[in-house]
Amino acid sequence: MTKKTTSIEQLEKLTDALVEDILKLSDKEVLLEAKEQFSDPSEKCNHIRDAMHKTILHASKNKFSEAKSQLHSYKKEDKRNNVISFSHKKSVIENFTSKNFNLKQKLTLAARKGEGIQTENDIDGMFEDLLELGMIDEEGNPK
Amino acid sequence: MHVGFTEETDEFLSPLDIKSTINTLSEADLLRLNSIAQQYSSYCSMDSDEILNEAILKALIGSRKCPINVSFIAFIYQTMRSIAFNEKRKNEKFEPIDNTTSPLQGKSALPEDKTSAHQELESILNLFENDDDITLYLMGIYDGCTPNEICELGDWNKTKYSSIQRKLRRSLNKHYPNGREK
């Protein structure tokens, strides 16, 4: 009859048996036992219910911040998906410079000196400037 | 209090269902859950409030889902069981499986003797050494016997079995008012 069990498993079996006894109690017996244990069982119930409500509040706060962080990630992802290609940015800038003789001359001069719009970062920077100045929209269309 | 839960499924209670179920729990339900939480608290190092609310939290965040056809009390007690048993096992560092000894077979020099679980089993047995019924009941439980097998061992009927079980629980509660782990 002896089964292969560890001390922990034996204690688990004992705990299960003791809980099984509590489950077998009638509501009346539960209330009677509570009266023996607590001076005011109703006050104890209020305490248990309050603690449960605090847990609900805690869970809803967690859920809210989780939703907030998901929204943040979604927006970030969405922004990443809408990134304008480097070549498009370049063509938007070229379109601007070709229409403005002074600007074109300045840029040509700067390029000869090894300055001006040379790298991808320069293109990005100038695109951002045009955007901030309100000369183009987020897709690079002239306003 | 407004709670921003909107999830709903057909098979499991949604957080909103859980919230409204909690609001409908009677005093007897709450005290029964508290009593069960105290029993699990006796077993592990967690407080009864902590175990109960951890179980509620798991249900709310969905890490344990309550099927709609299962009573909420049963679901919460099973969740508390899992929390307490995991906590105990986490704290019990070394526990080899060994069927050559049991706390009922006297002292041995095996490493198992060093575990707090083994000492706990022995303390409980020693506590009831003058009560033959409870000792037999404990021997049956420690040996993994079913209630029917224990009844056969003691030549008891179901009523006698239940009264011994109750006497044991109430005596343990009185002897360890702050839990066996504390």
Side-chain angles (χ1 to χ4, degrees):
Chain A
M1 200 181 293
T2 303
K3 286 144 192 145
K4 206 173 190 177
T5 52
T6 63
S7 300
I8 283 276
E9 285 165 344
Q10 288 171 319
L11 272 178
E12 284 175 353
K13 283 182 171 63
L14 175 62
T15 307
D16 281 339
L18 301 175
V19 169
E20 180 193 277
D21 181 49
I22 300 169
L23 291 169
K24 281 195 286 191
L25 293 171
S26 67
D27 284 0
K28 204 176 161 185
E29 286 169 324
V30 169
L31 293 170
L32 276 172
E33 280 202 3
K35 273 182 191 166
E36 285 172 24
Q37 200 185 351
F38 309 108
S39 53
D40 185 354
S42 294
E43 197 186 307
K44 179 66 189 171
C45 283
N46 289 339
H47 166 80
I48 300 168
R49 213 186 282 279
D50 283 351
M52 285 179 173
H53 283 145
K54 274 185 193 159
T55 305
I56 293 172
L57 192 66
H58 175 66
S60 55
K61 275 184 183 168
N62 276 356
K63 197 108 184 164
F64 177 70
S65 54
E66 198 181 291
K68 218 170 139 184
S69 123
Q70 270 177 1
L71 182 69
H72 181 71
S73 310
Y74 172 77
K75 278 185 175 173
K76 219 171 156 184
E77 187 64 27
D78 195 44
K79 207 175 169 185
R80 204 175 295 136
N81 289 339
N82 287 334
V83 164
I84 299 168
S85 71
F86 174 71
S87 59
H88 181 62
K89 281 182 184 174
K90 200 176 171 186
S91 76
V92 168
I93 292 163
E94 277 170 0
N95 191 30
F96 256 91
T97 53
S98 63
K99 284 177 187 166
N100 187 327
F101 182 73
N102 282 341
L103 181 61
K104 193 180 177 184
Q105 231 178 6
K106 278 180 187 172
L107 287 171
T108 313
L109 201 64
R112 277 184 197 148
K113 290 180 184 172
E115 295 167 354
I117 303 170
Q118 299 283 317
T119 64
E120 215 168 292
N121 278 348
D122 297 334
I123 300 271
D124 278 338
M126 184 135 186
F127 188 87
E128 290 292 321
D129 289 345
L130 291 173
L131 199 64
E132 273 177 31
L133 289 167
M135 297 171 86
I136 55 168
D137 64 17
E138 287 185 346
E139 287 169 359
N141 302 313
K143 279 188 176 175
Chain B
M1 179 176 60
H2 172 73
V3 181
F5 294 127
T6 50
E7 261 179 46
E8 272 175 36
T9 62
D10 292 338
E11 294 167 30
F12 303 101
L13 290 187
S14 71
L16 273 177
D17 295 331
I18 291 167
K19 194 192 163 225
S20 52
T21 306
I22 286 172
N23 287 334
T24 60
L25 292 177
S26 67
E27 286 206 348
D29 291 334
L30 291 170
L31 291 166
R32 190 188 302 275
L33 282 176
N34 182 64
S35 218
I36 295 171
Q38 281 179 328
Q39 209 59 62
Y40 287 128
S41 167
S42 272
Y43 175 67
C44 69
S45 55
M46 293 169 78
D47 287 335
S48 56
D49 284 357
E50 198 183 349
I51 297 175
L52 179 53
N53 289 304
E54 177 81 20
I56 302 276
L57 186 66
K58 278 182 182 286
L60 287 167
I61 62 173
S63 62
R64 292 279 294 214
K65 291 182 175 179
C66 179
I68 51 167
N69 55 352
V70 169
S71 103
F72 186 67
I73 303 276
F75 166 75
I76 291 296
Y77 107 71
Q78 284 289 348
T79 307
M80 288 196 286
R81 179 184 189 271
S82 149
I83 292 167
F85 284 14
N86 283 338
E87 181 70 14
K88 180 79 173 182
R89 281 174 181 262
K90 200 171 75 186
N91 293 334
E92 199 73 9
K93 303 276 184 215
F94 180 66
E95 176 79 1
I97 290 178
D98 173 29
N99 63 341
T100 60
T101 59
S102 96
L104 314 170
Q105 292 173 306
K107 296 186 189 310
S108 81
L110 287 169
E112 192 188 8
D113 281 354
K114 290 171 190 158
T115 68
S116 65
H118 184 85
Q119 286 163 0
E120 204 175 322
L121 290 167
E122 283 203 329
S123 319
I124 294 168
L125 261 183
N126 292 338
L127 196 64
F128 298 103
E129 61 186 353
N130 296 323
D131 188 320
D132 292 344
D133 284 342
I134 290 186
T135 300
L136 184 66
Y137 177 88
L138 286 170
M139 285 166 71
I141 292 287
Y142 290 178
D143 276 353
C145 297
T146 63
N148 283 340
E149 286 169 337
I150 295 173
C151 282
E152 267 179 45
L153 278 174
D155 196 20
W156 304 330
N157 58 23
K158 288 273 161 67
T159 314
K160 170 96 173 166
Y161 174 89
S162 295
S163 74
I164 293 163
Q165 191 179 42
R166 188 146 308 166
K167 188 179 169 191
L168 168 67
R169 179 176 60 81
R170 290 170 68 91
S171 306
L172 284 174
N173 287 351
K174 273 186 189 149
H175 193 79
Y176 301 103
N178 299 312
R180 301 192 300 272
E181 273 273 314
K182 285 122 196 159

